[in-house]
Amino acid sequence: MPDYDTLRTDRLVGQRMNAQHRAMLHRLHREPSVARTLSPTGEPLPAEKVDERFDHFLKHWQAHGYGQWMWFEKGSDAFVGRMGVNWTESTGEREMELAYAIMPGFWGQGLATEASTAVVDLAFHEIGVDELVLFTLEHNAGSRRVAEKLGFQETGTVMHAGLEHVLYRLKRDAWRKRQ
């Protein structure tokens, strides 16, 4: 199995999620501004729910050799957020999802797009998937902007995590044409 433990971009370093990152994921998912974009209630997730997500992310890595990376700013090593891919069945079939969440202090700097570009490239060129999906709440303008910058096309809505989400798709051929 190839080693995808570390990804690098111009401004970021992505590390394979591991046990030492648990507290960072708690900080991210319990941040009120982030919770408004990710949580089914709009409130910070209870600690046990964050632990469930963390354990799910670790199991995905163990099963597939890729998943969510924890991203850090080069130079300062400041924690930026998590971005990666994982298998989901939210649409009723097994599909690979691009998912990301960024600490509010890094919003609006293009970092989600930068890291996600590296992840999408890996998904299409290394992992070999033909299509990615992305889900976001309708009111999450920042996430929608990232999806559109990456070339994802809005294709409707889907119930995901107990809420109606806007569904985006990106095919490998469309990604190659953009590169």
Side-chain angles (χ1 to χ4, degrees):
M1 189 178 301
D3 178 2
Y4 303 128
D5 288 354
T6 305
L7 295 180
R8 297 180 195 287
T9 70
D10 289 343
R11 298 181 288 169
L12 301 169
V13 175
Q15 297 176 3
R16 173 185 179 150
M17 192 177 284
N18 64 58
Q20 289 74 37
H21 295 133
R22 186 179 296 270
M24 291 175 204
L25 193 70
H26 273 267
R27 198 168 93 222
L28 178 66
H29 283 271
R30 295 186 53 76
E31 165 62 45
S33 298
V34 173
R36 284 192 286 280
T37 67
L38 294 179
S39 166
T41 64
E43 297 294 321
L45 289 175
E48 62 273 5
K49 291 290 185 191
V50 178
D51 282 335
E52 285 175 18
R53 283 191 183 182
F54 187 78
D55 292 341
H56 171 76
F57 291 148
L58 289 183
K59 287 176 185 169
H60 192 281
W61 266 103
Q62 291 166 351
H64 303 287
Y66 54 85
Q68 292 290 308
W69 286 264
M70 300 297 268
W71 291 83
F72 300 88
E73 187 176 46
K74 281 185 180 174
S76 74
D77 290 330
F79 173 56
V80 173
R82 68 160 174 82
M83 284 150 274
V85 289
N86 46 266
W87 291 102
T88 184
E89 294 186 9
S90 294
T91 62
E93 52 189 87
R94 189 172 188 256
E95 298 185 283
M96 188 169 288
E97 172 192 12
L98 173 68
Y100 45 83
I102 303 289
M103 294 297 291
F106 293 99
W107 289 359
Q109 298 177 35
L111 296 174
T113 303
E114 183 175 321
S116 292
T117 296
V119 172
V120 169
D121 210 51
L122 181 129
F124 286 142
H125 297 266
E126 300 289 326
I127 298 169
V129 297
D130 292 323
E131 183 178 57
L132 292 169
V133 295
L134 184 151
F135 312 101
T136 188
L137 295 171
E138 186 172 355
H139 71 270
N140 190 344
S143 184
R144 295 183 78 169
R145 197 166 35 257
V146 169
E148 291 161 5
K149 282 187 204 175
L150 293 168
F152 280 80
Q153 299 294 309
E154 184 178 335
T155 61
T157 59
V158 66
M159 290 303 288
H160 178 68
L163 294 172
E164 187 173 85
H165 280 67
V166 179
L167 172 64
Y168 288 86
R169 293 183 178 279
L170 177 62
K171 294 192 179 296
R172 180 174 34 201
D173 290 343
W175 178 256
R176 284 184 176 155
K177 288 177 186 173
R178 293 175 57 90
Q179 300 306 301

